[in-house]
Amino acid sequence: MISCRKIAKGKASGELLVSNEPISFLGGVDPETGEIIDINHELKGQIIKDKILFIPGGKGSTVGSYVIFQMKKNNTAPKAIICLKAEPIIATGAIMSNIPMVDSPDNTENLVNGQKVEVNSDEGIIKLL
């Protein structure tokens, strides 16, 4: 188990999609499809729908929170979000959208692309599955 800090309540499990780069949801992700469309992002073309998204944090406009909310309404949002360090844009979007979110994992060694995990933000833990 990996200890972490609760940002937005809830529990979800799924496959990790890992980025070493922050994501801007406004202009960087298509809310209709969940595809990362930022041409300069390492995950360009990847779909975050139904994934557990692990990113260092967010960047860009505060409107990004509403893009996350729109993605939730469109069923294109990630199942959960793990950040190294949460910031207000992503945190607000996760809270508004009821997407479980945690940050500050105490060990990231096994948090790799394709790994199945369960994020339980209520208990502040990530389990490898």
Side-chain angles (χ1 to χ4, degrees):
M1 279 193 290
I2 299 168
S3 295
C4 50
R5 181 175 72 143
K6 171 186 174 179
I7 302 296
K9 67 181 179 176
K11 183 162 128 178
S13 58
E15 185 179 310
L16 278 173
L17 181 61
V18 179
S19 175
N20 294 311
E21 300 174 4
I23 289 180
S24 172
F25 279 84
L26 179 62
V29 179
D30 182 344
E32 298 299 318
T33 63
E35 179 181 350
I36 297 174
I37 57 173
D38 178 344
I39 61 170
N40 297 313
H41 198 278
E42 66 179 340
L43 295 182
K44 180 179 180 338
Q46 295 286 318
I47 306 290
I48 63 176
K49 175 186 188 311
D50 293 334
K51 301 286 187 182
I52 307 295
L53 183 63
F54 178 29
I55 54 177
K59 65 180 184 177
S61 169
T62 56
V63 177
S65 301
Y66 295 99
V67 173
I68 295 169
F69 183 70
Q70 187 64 47
M71 291 178 70
K72 182 68 172 190
K73 286 173 54 178
N74 293 345
N75 282 331
T76 59
K79 288 183 174 181
I81 301 171
I82 303 168
C83 286
L84 291 178
K85 184 171 180 6
E87 43 65 52
I89 297 166
I90 305 286
T92 301
I95 292 166
M96 287 180 2
S97 307
N98 293 315
I99 297 172
M101 180 176 167
V102 296
D103 81 346
S104 305
D106 66 358
N107 180 353
T108 61
E109 183 178 324
N110 294 312
L111 298 178
V112 295
N113 271 320
Q115 172 68 52
K116 292 197 167 125
V117 297
E118 177 184 83
V119 175
N120 184 335
S121 61
D122 298 330
E123 294 182 17
I125 56 171
I126 302 166
K127 289 183 192 171
L128 302 176
L129 301 177

